[in-house]
């Protein structure tokens, strides 16, 4: 892969300041102060919020605290999506810190997956990596890895260790130079205006003639309304890792540098806020 290590590092160490507030309907024995935390964009809410849970548990009786879940402005936050995706999809135009409400009861069974332990997050994360590698290399890279390599990917994410993670992940980002890219680009397009969780289809990084496909090419095929038409004001923001890449950015480069640790390019399409 092209060695833009500074980009990889900037993506990894991206942080979102957040303020966690206990829902006012929760039963507490004393007032629960808000809790402030810098959230890693590339991690998962349930993986980095043990301190939040301990903080609010101190103000509650044990029998009143069921499984913790989070909500932003009435929308339950799906922990199985990376934190950066949740923010870009639901709160990219909010004033920071991101204000997240914490719940310990009335778990929204229809909208959220349960997350009883970190092993559930690990299984979800590894299944994403395996799915991405099936698209990129017909699963050859991930199948050639040893169990300890899989563990090193997970431990790198869990412990926020950039070098530990990328020592293994770089293998997942390689491809034969004569092929010009991966077999298919692992991507998901999210939008708040749809009941579908995301759009995901097969899309190659190059055309049959060998021309590099761009972000604009992908959107034209998968979600054309996201692109502005000539002479009309922009209606949608297309955000990846907190930034709006130019439509002419090569898709292969984006996949190598702006993918989340699960090796997917998570693309959030949201309406431009009205003034």
């Amino acid at each position: 892969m092209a060695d833009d290590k500074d980009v990889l590092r900037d993506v990894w160490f991206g942080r979102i300041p957040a303020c966690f507030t206990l829902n006012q309907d929760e039963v507490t024995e004393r007032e629960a102060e808000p809790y402030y935390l810098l959230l890693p964009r590339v991690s998962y809410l349930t993986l980095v919020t043990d301190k939040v849970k301990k903080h609010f548990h101190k103000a509650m009786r044990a029998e009143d605290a069921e499984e913790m879940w989070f909500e932003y402005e009435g929308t339950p936050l799906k922990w199985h999506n990376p934190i950066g995706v949740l923010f870009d999809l639901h709160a990219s135009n909010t004033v920071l810190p991101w204000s997240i409400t914490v719940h310990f009861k009335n778990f929204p069974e229809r909208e959220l997956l349960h997350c009883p332990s970190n092993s559930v997050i690990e299984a979800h994360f590894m299944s994403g990596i395996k799915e991405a590698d099936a698209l990129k290399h017909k699963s050859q890279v991930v199948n050639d890895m040893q169990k300890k390599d899989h563990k090193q990917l997970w431990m790198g994410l869990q412990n926020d260790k950039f070098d530990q993670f990328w020592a293994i992940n770089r293998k997942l980002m390689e491809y034969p130079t004569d092929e010009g890219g991966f077999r298919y680009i692992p991507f998901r397009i999210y939008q708040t205006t749809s009941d579908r969780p995301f759009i995901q289809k097969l899309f190659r990084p190059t055309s049959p003639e060998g021309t590099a496909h761009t972000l604009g090419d992908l959107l034209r095929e998968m979600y054309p309304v996201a692109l502005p038409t000539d002479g009309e004001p922009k209606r949608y923001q297309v955000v990846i890792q907190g930034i709006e890449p130019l439509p002419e950015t090569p898709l292969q480069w984006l996949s190598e540098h702006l993918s989340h640790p699960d090796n997917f390019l998570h693309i959030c399409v949201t309406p431009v806020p009205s003034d």
Side-chain angles (χ1 to χ4, degrees):
M1 63 178 286
D3 192 16
D4 287 330
K5 201 163 183 185
D6 287 347
V7 177
L8 301 179
R9 205 174 275 281
D10 287 347
V11 165
W12 183 274
F13 290 106
R15 297 290 185 266
I16 299 166
C19 171
F20 292 86
T21 310
L22 191 64
N23 182 293
Q24 59 191 25
D25 294 339
E26 301 289 339
V27 179
T28 57
E29 298 199 299
R30 57 186 175 80
E31 190 179 352
E33 295 287 327
Y35 191 83
Y36 292 85
L37 197 59
L38 277 174
L39 297 173
R41 274 186 152 274
V42 298
S43 194
Y44 298 91
L45 267 178
T46 43
L47 191 58
V48 295
T49 46
D50 271 352
K51 290 178 180 174
V52 176
K53 186 191 288 185
K54 285 174 185 160
H55 171 77
F56 289 119
H57 271 188
K58 287 177 191 166
M60 305 174 73
R61 294 181 311 182
E63 59 266 33
D64 291 326
E66 296 168 25
E67 184 174 350
M68 181 172 68
W69 58 280
F70 305 99
E71 163 250 299
Y72 171 68
E73 293 191 345
T75 301
L77 296 174
K78 295 176 177 174
W79 67 262
H80 59 279
N81 289 338
I83 291 167
V85 175
L86 294 173
F87 180 80
D88 292 343
L89 189 61
H90 300 296
S92 58
N93 298 299
T94 191
V95 176
L96 294 173
W98 185 16
S99 182
I100 297 175
T101 304
V102 181
H103 295 259
F104 286 98
K105 58 177 190 243
N106 301 325
F107 190 92
E109 304 276 351
R110 291 184 166 197
E111 295 172 84
L112 298 185
L113 301 173
H114 285 283
C115 185
S117 69
N118 280 2
S119 62
V120 175
I121 313 170
E122 181 181 2
H124 169 72
F125 168 67
M126 286 311 303
S127 75
I129 282 195
K130 289 171 182 175
E131 184 181 349
D133 196 53
L135 292 166
K136 291 201 282 193
H137 309 110
K138 296 185 183 173
S139 301
Q140 287 165 348
V141 178
V142 91
N143 288 345
D144 284 346
M145 287 180 178
Q146 297 178 7
K147 189 125 196 236
K148 68 179 178 61
D149 296 329
H150 293 183
K151 205 71 187 171
Q152 185 169 328
L153 286 168
W154 166 244
M155 295 305 287
L157 176 67
Q158 181 176 260
N159 300 325
D160 195 21
K161 301 289 187 192
F162 173 83
D163 291 321
Q164 182 182 1
F165 176 82
W166 270 100
I168 304 298
N169 195 58
R170 63 180 180 78
K171 299 173 189 173
L172 293 163
M173 291 296 176
E174 290 169 353
Y175 56 88
T177 47
D178 59 337
E179 289 182 15
F182 304 136
R183 205 163 134 260
Y184 296 104
I185 297 289
F187 75 90
R188 287 174 182 161
I189 298 173
Y190 304 80
Q191 71 262 51
T192 49
T193 52
S194 168
D195 291 335
R196 286 176 70 177
F198 49 75
I199 297 167
Q200 179 182 337
K201 296 178 183 174
L202 296 179
F203 196 82
R204 293 189 186 273
T206 54
S207 71
E209 298 75 42
T211 312
H213 278 147
T214 64
L215 175 61
D217 293 329
L218 176 75
L219 292 169
R220 256 184 293 281
E221 186 155 324
M222 303 294 165
Y223 197 52
V225 295
L227 291 167
T229 47
D230 289 344
E232 285 193 10
K234 189 169 102 171
R235 291 167 53 208
Y236 291 96
Q237 299 176 128
V238 178
V239 180
I240 305 173
Q241 293 285 11
I243 62 170
E244 290 188 70
L246 295 171
E248 53 267 31
T249 310
L251 207 50
Q252 177 67 33
W253 188 92
L254 288 171
S255 185
E256 290 176 39
H257 296 91
L258 296 192
S259 287
H260 274 269
D262 63 1
N263 277 240
F264 272 85
L265 197 58
H266 296 274
I267 304 165
C268 296
V269 179
T270 58
V272 170
S274 51
D275 295 333

